[in-house]
Amino acid sequence: IDFAVGQCTANQGDVIFVLPGHVETITAAAGLDLDIAGISIIGLGNRSNRPVINFTTAATADMDVDAANITVENFEIDLDGVDALAAPIDVNAAGFTLRNCRVIMGNATNQPVLAILTDAAADQMTIEDCEFIGTADAGTTAAIRLVGCDDPHILRCVFFGGYSAAVGAIEVLTTAAIRVVIELCHINNTLAASTACITGLAATTGVIRFCTLRNQTDASVAWIGTPGSTELYENFGVNNNGERGIA
């Protein structure tokens, strides 16, 4: 994939098709550098025979998104090949889309710190129709960390995994994200002591709506921590098995 990216021309609508069964192994920082603007990388195949991007060897191994308006679609992305991956999907440019991907968020031995990290340049990022699937083991802080970006959209995604107890699967950190949209997501923080599914900052703006949220700490009702100035519509949470969600 990295070689194919180098054959593309910026902003010409170039598309890279990746065949079922292909495995792209990333072993170092910037091991896959998406640095040509406007390209799409499309995995072919369905579910378990989709191509795989995996990360091994070093905790600094990552896929850098360094040019605008790049789309990655229909991959399995495996983050359990080495422990404590710092930021395997590192988004540093505007207009990135991750669509219809299954992200493996660790196993009993290896858990990433994060799956996706943005910086302030990652405006208009869209994460849609993706699964983030892990275990109940501690070690992961969050699946998606937003730092200072504008207009990120996280739509119709499912999160199962042991995220930091008071952080959850989606975190805004250091610098507020603006005009955030989190919609139609399901988050189950499987960590035994979990008390949050989404955590923002005081200056965060946007909307969180139509989400279903699960904490493991019975009686905890802080599913969305520090929502800031976001608007909350029709979100429902449970904190024990067999319960009906409450607003």
Side-chain angles (χ1 to χ4, degrees), residues 128-163:
E128 60 184 2
D129 301 313
C130 292
E131 302 170 279
F132 296 80
I133 306 299
T135 67
D137 298 286
T140 296
T141 300
I144 301 172
R145 177 179 287 170
L146 306 173
V147 181
C149 56
D150 296 346
D151 305 296
H153 288 191
I154 303 171
L155 311 174
R156 302 178 303 279
C157 292
V158 173
F159 302 82
F160 283 93
Y163 306 106

mmCIF file of all heavy atoms in Angstrom, residues 128-163:
data_model
loop_
_atom_site.group_PDB
_atom_site.id
_atom_site.type_symbol
_atom_site.label_atom_id
_atom_site.label_comp_id
_atom_site.label_asym_id
_atom_site.label_seq_id
_atom_site.Cartn_x
_atom_site.Cartn_y
_atom_site.Cartn_z
ATOM 1 N N GLU A 128 -16.938 6.471 10.322
ATOM 2 C CA GLU A 128 -18.316 6.023 10.171
ATOM 3 C C GLU A 128 -18.404 4.535 9.876
ATOM 4 O O GLU A 128 -17.567 3.962 9.183
ATOM 5 C CB GLU A 128 -19.032 6.818 9.079
ATOM 6 C CG GLU A 128 -18.438 6.724 7.702
ATOM 7 C CD GLU A 128 -19.170 7.623 6.698
ATOM 8 O OE1 GLU A 128 -20.120 8.335 7.097
ATOM 9 O OE2 GLU A 128 -18.787 7.605 5.516
ATOM 10 N N ASP A 129 -19.437 3.917 10.466
ATOM 11 C CA ASP A 129 -19.750 2.505 10.228
ATOM 12 C C ASP A 129 -18.578 1.596 10.557
ATOM 13 O O ASP A 129 -18.328 0.600 9.865
ATOM 14 C CB ASP A 129 -20.196 2.301 8.772
ATOM 15 C CG ASP A 129 -21.419 3.128 8.430
ATOM 16 O OD1 ASP A 129 -22.378 3.112 9.215
ATOM 17 O OD2 ASP A 129 -21.400 3.818 7.382
ATOM 18 N N CYS A 130 -17.864 1.916 11.619
ATOM 19 C CA CYS A 130 -16.705 1.126 12.041
ATOM 20 C C CYS A 130 -16.997 0.417 13.364
ATOM 21 O O CYS A 130 -17.834 0.848 14.155
ATOM 22 C CB CYS A 130 -15.471 2.015 12.201
ATOM 23 S SG CYS A 130 -14.835 2.686 10.646
ATOM 24 N N GLU A 131 -16.260 -0.690 13.589
ATOM 25 C CA GLU A 131 -16.310 -1.423 14.840
ATOM 26 C C GLU A 131 -14.952 -1.333 15.524
ATOM 27 O O GLU A 131 -13.921 -1.524 14.865
ATOM 28 C CB GLU A 131 -16.627 -2.894 14.597
ATOM 29 C CG GLU A 131 -17.923 -3.181 13.882
ATOM 30 C CD GLU A 131 -17.992 -4.643 13.480
ATOM 31 O OE1 GLU A 131 -17.399 -4.997 12.441
ATOM 32 O OE2 GLU A 131 -18.617 -5.433 14.207
ATOM 33 N N PHE A 132 -14.952 -1.082 16.814
ATOM 34 C CA PHE A 132 -13.742 -1.071 17.624
ATOM 35 C C PHE A 132 -13.951 -2.146 18.697
ATOM 36 O O PHE A 132 -14.715 -1.946 19.634
ATOM 37 C CB PHE A 132 -13.519 0.294 18.242
ATOM 38 C CG PHE A 132 -13.269 1.391 17.237
ATOM 39 C CD1 PHE A 132 -14.332 1.987 16.558
ATOM 40 C CD2 PHE A 132 -11.992 1.816 16.961
ATOM 41 C CE1 PHE A 132 -14.122 2.989 15.628
ATOM 42 C CE2 PHE A 132 -11.760 2.823 16.019
ATOM 43 C CZ PHE A 132 -12.821 3.412 15.352
ATOM 44 N N ILE A 133 -13.275 -3.284 18.545
ATOM 45 C CA ILE A 133 -13.588 -4.460 19.346
ATOM 46 C C ILE A 133 -12.366 -4.882 20.156
ATOM 47 O O ILE A 133 -11.312 -5.197 19.598
ATOM 48 C CB ILE A 133 -14.042 -5.638 18.461
ATOM 49 C CG1 ILE A 133 -15.200 -5.213 17.551
ATOM 50 C CG2 ILE A 133 -14.422 -6.830 19.316
ATOM 51 C CD1 ILE A 133 -16.438 -4.760 18.272
ATOM 52 N N GLY A 134 -12.498 -4.862 21.484
ATOM 53 C CA GLY A 134 -11.418 -5.280 22.362
ATOM 54 C C GLY A 134 -11.897 -6.249 23.418
ATOM 55 O O GLY A 134 -12.922 -6.920 23.251
ATOM 56 N N THR A 135 -11.179 -6.318 24.519
ATOM 57 C CA THR A 135 -11.508 -7.204 25.624
ATOM 58 C C THR A 135 -11.763 -6.356 26.874
ATOM 59 O O THR A 135 -11.711 -5.130 26.830
ATOM 60 C CB THR A 135 -10.349 -8.178 25.900
ATOM 61 O OG1 THR A 135 -9.229 -7.434 26.398
ATOM 62 C CG2 THR A 135 -9.929 -8.912 24.632
ATOM 63 N N ALA A 136 -11.983 -7.027 27.974
ATOM 64 C CA ALA A 136 -12.173 -6.316 29.240
ATOM 65 C C ALA A 136 -10.856 -6.002 29.933
ATOM 66 O O ALA A 136 -10.851 -5.429 31.026
ATOM 67 C CB ALA A 136 -13.058 -7.147 30.167
ATOM 68 N N ASP A 137 -9.736 -6.332 29.307
ATOM 69 C CA ASP A 137 -8.431 -6.117 29.941
ATOM 70 C C ASP A 137 -8.063 -4.641 29.952
ATOM 71 O O ASP A 137 -8.279 -3.913 28.980
ATOM 72 C CB ASP A 137 -7.353 -6.911 29.186
ATOM 73 C CG ASP A 137 -7.614 -8.399 29.220
ATOM 74 O OD1 ASP A 137 -7.402 -9.006 30.278
ATOM 75 O OD2 ASP A 137 -8.049 -8.953 28.195
ATOM 76 N N ALA A 138 -7.465 -4.194 31.055
ATOM 77 C CA ALA A 138 -7.006 -2.817 31.169
ATOM 78 C C ALA A 138 -5.778 -2.585 30.299
ATOM 79 O O ALA A 138 -5.016 -3.503 30.020
ATOM 80 C CB ALA A 138 -6.689 -2.490 32.623
ATOM 81 N N GLY A 139 -5.564 -1.355 29.886
ATOM 82 C CA GLY A 139 -4.388 -0.989 29.108
ATOM 83 C C GLY A 139 -4.670 0.041 28.042
ATOM 84 O O GLY A 139 -3.799 0.811 27.649
ATOM 85 N N THR A 140 -5.911 0.081 27.558
ATOM 86 C CA THR A 140 -6.306 1.062 26.555
ATOM 87 C C THR A 140 -6.912 2.278 27.236
ATOM 88 O O THR A 140 -7.722 2.137 28.147
ATOM 89 C CB THR A 140 -7.324 0.451 25.578
ATOM 90 O OG1 THR A 140 -6.702 -0.619 24.870
ATOM 91 C CG2 THR A 140 -7.827 1.486 24.585
ATOM 92 N N THR A 141 -6.518 3.469 26.775
ATOM 93 C CA THR A 141 -7.131 4.692 27.294
ATOM 94 C C THR A 141 -8.434 4.991 26.566
ATOM 95 O O THR A 141 -9.485 5.138 27.187
ATOM 96 C CB THR A 141 -6.168 5.871 27.161
ATOM 97 O OG1 THR A 141 -4.976 5.595 27.915
ATOM 98 C CG2 THR A 141 -6.804 7.151 27.695
ATOM 99 N N ALA A 142 -8.375 5.086 25.238
ATOM 100 C CA ALA A 142 -9.573 5.392 24.447
ATOM 101 C C ALA A 142 -9.378 4.828 23.047
ATOM 102 O O ALA A 142 -8.255 4.545 22.618
ATOM 103 C CB ALA A 142 -9.811 6.891 24.394
ATOM 104 N N ALA A 143 -10.479 4.693 22.312
ATOM 105 C CA ALA A 143 -10.382 4.304 20.906
ATOM 106 C C ALA A 143 -10.062 5.508 20.035
ATOM 107 O O ALA A 143 -9.247 5.433 19.118
ATOM 108 C CB ALA A 143 -11.675 3.640 20.453
ATOM 109 N N ILE A 144 -10.723 6.641 20.306
ATOM 110 C CA ILE A 144 -10.540 7.857 19.508
ATOM 111 C C ILE A 144 -10.250 9.019 20.451
ATOM 112 O O ILE A 144 -11.026 9.286 21.365
ATOM 113 C CB ILE A 144 -11.799 8.176 18.677
ATOM 114 C CG1 ILE A 144 -12.133 7.020 17.729
ATOM 115 C CG2 ILE A 144 -11.608 9.477 17.895
ATOM 116 C CD1 ILE A 144 -13.468 7.170 17.023
ATOM 117 N N ARG A 145 -9.126 9.701 20.224
ATOM 118 C CA ARG A 145 -8.791 10.893 20.995
ATOM 119 C C ARG A 145 -8.761 12.094 20.053
ATOM 120 O O ARG A 145 -7.977 12.138 19.097
ATOM 121 C CB ARG A 145 -7.441 10.751 21.686
ATOM 122 C CG ARG A 145 -7.003 12.011 22.444
ATOM 123 C CD ARG A 145 -5.681 11.830 23.136
ATOM 124 N NE ARG A 145 -5.820 10.966 24.307
ATOM 125 C CZ ARG A 145 -4.771 10.477 24.996
ATOM 126 N NH1 ARG A 145 -3.536 10.756 24.617
ATOM 127 N NH2 ARG A 145 -4.986 9.714 26.051
ATOM 128 N N LEU A 146 -9.608 13.060 20.328
ATOM 129 C CA LEU A 146 -9.699 14.287 19.542
ATOM 130 C C LEU A 146 -8.940 15.393 20.261
ATOM 131 O O LEU A 146 -9.229 15.694 21.413
ATOM 132 C CB LEU A 146 -11.159 14.699 19.370
ATOM 133 C CG LEU A 146 -12.109 13.638 18.796
ATOM 134 C CD1 LEU A 146 -13.545 14.146 18.841
ATOM 135 C CD2 LEU A 146 -11.711 13.266 17.381
ATOM 136 N N VAL A 147 -7.988 16.011 19.555
ATOM 137 C CA VAL A 147 -7.187 17.085 20.142
ATOM 138 C C VAL A 147 -7.276 18.305 19.230
ATOM 139 O O VAL A 147 -6.616 18.381 18.196
ATOM 140 C CB VAL A 147 -5.718 16.667 20.332
ATOM 141 C CG1 VAL A 147 -4.921 17.807 20.973
ATOM 142 C CG2 VAL A 147 -5.608 15.408 21.175
ATOM 143 N N GLY A 148 -8.148 19.238 19.578
ATOM 144 C CA GLY A 148 -8.154 20.540 18.934
ATOM 145 C C GLY A 148 -8.687 20.605 17.526
ATOM 146 O O GLY A 148 -8.526 21.628 16.859
ATOM 147 N N CYS A 149 -9.331 19.561 17.037
ATOM 148 C CA CYS A 149 -9.800 19.591 15.654
ATOM 149 C C CYS A 149 -11.227 20.137 15.582
ATOM 150 O O CYS A 149 -11.982 20.090 16.548
ATOM 151 C CB CYS A 149 -9.714 18.216 15.016
ATOM 152 S SG CYS A 149 -10.587 16.917 15.908
ATOM 153 N N ASP A 150 -11.597 20.646 14.414
ATOM 154 C CA ASP A 150 -12.936 21.176 14.177
ATOM 155 C C ASP A 150 -13.748 20.198 13.330
ATOM 156 O O ASP A 150 -13.217 19.557 12.414
ATOM 157 C CB ASP A 150 -12.866 22.511 13.431
ATOM 158 C CG ASP A 150 -12.174 23.602 14.231
ATOM 159 O OD1 ASP A 150 -11.994 23.418 15.444
ATOM 160 O OD2 ASP A 150 -11.809 24.631 13.621
ATOM 161 N N ASP A 151 -15.029 20.088 13.632
ATOM 162 C CA ASP A 151 -15.997 19.366 12.815
ATOM 163 C C ASP A 151 -15.715 17.873 12.652
ATOM 164 O O ASP A 151 -15.929 17.313 11.570
ATOM 165 C CB ASP A 151 -16.104 20.012 11.423
ATOM 166 C CG ASP A 151 -16.427 21.493 11.507
ATOM 167 O OD1 ASP A 151 -17.514 21.827 11.984
ATOM 168 O OD2 ASP A 151 -15.568 22.311 11.106
ATOM 169 N N PRO A 152 -15.265 17.174 13.702
ATOM 170 C CA PRO A 152 -15.145 15.722 13.578
ATOM 171 C C PRO A 152 -16.520 15.067 13.698
ATOM 172 O O PRO A 152 -17.342 15.464 14.522
ATOM 173 C CB PRO A 152 -14.249 15.347 14.763
ATOM 174 C CG PRO A 152 -14.579 16.381 15.802
ATOM 175 C CD PRO A 152 -14.864 17.653 15.034
ATOM 176 N N HIS A 153 -16.767 14.065 12.867
ATOM 177 C CA HIS A 153 -18.021 13.315 12.897
ATOM 178 C C HIS A 153 -17.713 11.849 13.189
ATOM 179 O O HIS A 153 -16.912 11.220 12.486
ATOM 180 C CB HIS A 153 -18.748 13.423 11.554
ATOM 181 C CG HIS A 153 -19.342 14.764 11.296
ATOM 182 N ND1 HIS A 153 -20.223 15.012 10.268
ATOM 183 C CD2 HIS A 153 -19.191 15.954 11.938
ATOM 184 C CE1 HIS A 153 -20.590 16.282 10.282
ATOM 185 N NE2 HIS A 153 -19.969 16.880 11.284
ATOM 186 N N ILE A 154 -18.353 11.290 14.210
ATOM 187 C CA ILE A 154 -18.229 9.880 14.556
ATOM 188 C C ILE A 154 -19.635 9.313 14.487
ATOM 189 O O ILE A 154 -20.494 9.626 15.326
ATOM 190 C CB ILE A 154 -17.608 9.702 15.951
ATOM 191 C CG1 ILE A 154 -16.231 10.389 16.006
ATOM 192 C CG2 ILE A 154 -17.476 8.214 16.298
ATOM 193 C CD1 ILE A 154 -15.633 10.467 17.398
ATOM 194 N N LEU A 155 -19.888 8.493 13.468
ATOM 195 C CA LEU A 155 -21.253 8.126 13.101
ATOM 196 C C LEU A 155 -21.417 6.615 13.012
ATOM 197 O O LEU A 155 -20.606 5.925 12.369
ATOM 198 C CB LEU A 155 -21.611 8.738 11.741
ATOM 199 C CG LEU A 155 -21.320 10.232 11.553
ATOM 200 C CD1 LEU A 155 -21.582 10.643 10.116
ATOM 201 C CD2 LEU A 155 -22.142 11.074 12.509
ATOM 202 N N ARG A 156 -22.450 6.095 13.644
ATOM 203 C CA ARG A 156 -22.862 4.695 13.494
ATOM 204 C C ARG A 156 -21.719 3.720 13.770
ATOM 205 O O ARG A 156 -21.531 2.743 13.052
ATOM 206 C CB ARG A 156 -23.440 4.456 12.088
ATOM 207 C CG ARG A 156 -24.634 5.353 11.743
ATOM 208 C CD ARG A 156 -25.122 5.098 10.328
ATOM 209 N NE ARG A 156 -24.070 5.277 9.341
ATOM 210 C CZ ARG A 156 -23.687 6.458 8.851
ATOM 211 N NH1 ARG A 156 -24.289 7.591 9.243
ATOM 212 N NH2 ARG A 156 -22.709 6.530 7.972
ATOM 213 N N CYS A 157 -20.980 3.980 14.824
ATOM 214 C CA CYS A 157 -19.865 3.104 15.197
ATOM 215 C C CYS A 157 -20.212 2.313 16.458
ATOM 216 O O CYS A 157 -21.030 2.745 17.275
ATOM 217 C CB CYS A 157 -18.599 3.920 15.433
ATOM 218 S SG CYS A 157 -17.925 4.675 13.926
ATOM 219 N N VAL A 158 -19.555 1.159 16.602
ATOM 220 C CA VAL A 158 -19.745 0.289 17.754
ATOM 221 C C VAL A 158 -18.405 0.140 18.456
ATOM 222 O O VAL A 158 -17.379 -0.113 17.814
ATOM 223 C CB VAL A 158 -20.277 -1.088 17.316
ATOM 224 C CG1 VAL A 158 -20.319 -2.054 18.492
ATOM 225 C CG2 VAL A 158 -21.659 -0.954 16.691
ATOM 226 N N PHE A 159 -18.428 0.292 19.791
ATOM 227 C CA PHE A 159 -17.220 0.196 20.600
ATOM 228 C C PHE A 159 -17.455 -0.813 21.722
ATOM 229 O O PHE A 159 -18.330 -0.601 22.565
ATOM 230 C CB PHE A 159 -16.877 1.542 21.232
ATOM 231 C CG PHE A 159 -16.679 2.677 20.254
ATOM 232 C CD1 PHE A 159 -17.772 3.379 19.736
ATOM 233 C CD2 PHE A 159 -15.405 3.056 19.860
ATOM 234 C CE1 PHE A 159 -17.601 4.433 18.859
ATOM 235 C CE2 PHE A 159 -15.216 4.122 18.971
ATOM 236 C CZ PHE A 159 -16.314 4.802 18.477
ATOM 237 N N PHE A 160 -16.684 -1.897 21.743
ATOM 238 C CA PHE A 160 -16.640 -2.822 22.865
ATOM 239 C C PHE A 160 -15.189 -2.913 23.309
ATOM 240 O O PHE A 160 -14.310 -3.241 22.500
ATOM 241 C CB PHE A 160 -17.118 -4.224 22.472
ATOM 242 C CG PHE A 160 -18.599 -4.372 22.355
ATOM 243 C CD1 PHE A 160 -19.232 -4.196 21.144
ATOM 244 C CD2 PHE A 160 -19.374 -4.692 23.463
ATOM 245 C CE1 PHE A 160 -20.608 -4.335 21.018
ATOM 246 C CE2 PHE A 160 -20.751 -4.832 23.358
ATOM 247 C CZ PHE A 160 -21.371 -4.662 22.124
ATOM 248 N N GLY A 161 -14.912 -2.649 24.580
ATOM 249 C CA GLY A 161 -13.531 -2.787 25.030
ATOM 250 C C GLY A 161 -13.307 -2.170 26.389
ATOM 251 O O GLY A 161 -14.137 -1.412 26.901
ATOM 252 N N GLY A 162 -12.152 -2.488 26.968
ATOM 253 C CA GLY A 162 -11.796 -1.993 28.284
ATOM 254 C C GLY A 162 -11.083 -0.663 28.201
ATOM 255 O O GLY A 162 -9.849 -0.596 28.227
ATOM 256 N N TYR A 163 -11.854 0.401 28.101
ATOM 257 C CA TYR A 163 -11.292 1.750 28.027
ATOM 258 C C TYR A 163 -11.082 2.312 29.431
ATOM 259 O O TYR A 163 -11.721 1.881 30.384
ATOM 260 C CB TYR A 163 -12.220 2.649 27.211
ATOM 261 C CG TYR A 163 -12.519 2.074 25.853
ATOM 262 C CD1 TYR A 163 -13.767 1.519 25.576
ATOM 263 C CD2 TYR A 163 -11.550 2.027 24.857
ATOM 264 C CE1 TYR A 163 -14.034 0.948 24.337
ATOM 265 C CE2 TYR A 163 -11.808 1.460 23.630
ATOM 266 C CZ TYR A 163 -13.061 0.916 23.373
ATOM 267 O OH TYR A 163 -13.320 0.343 22.154
#
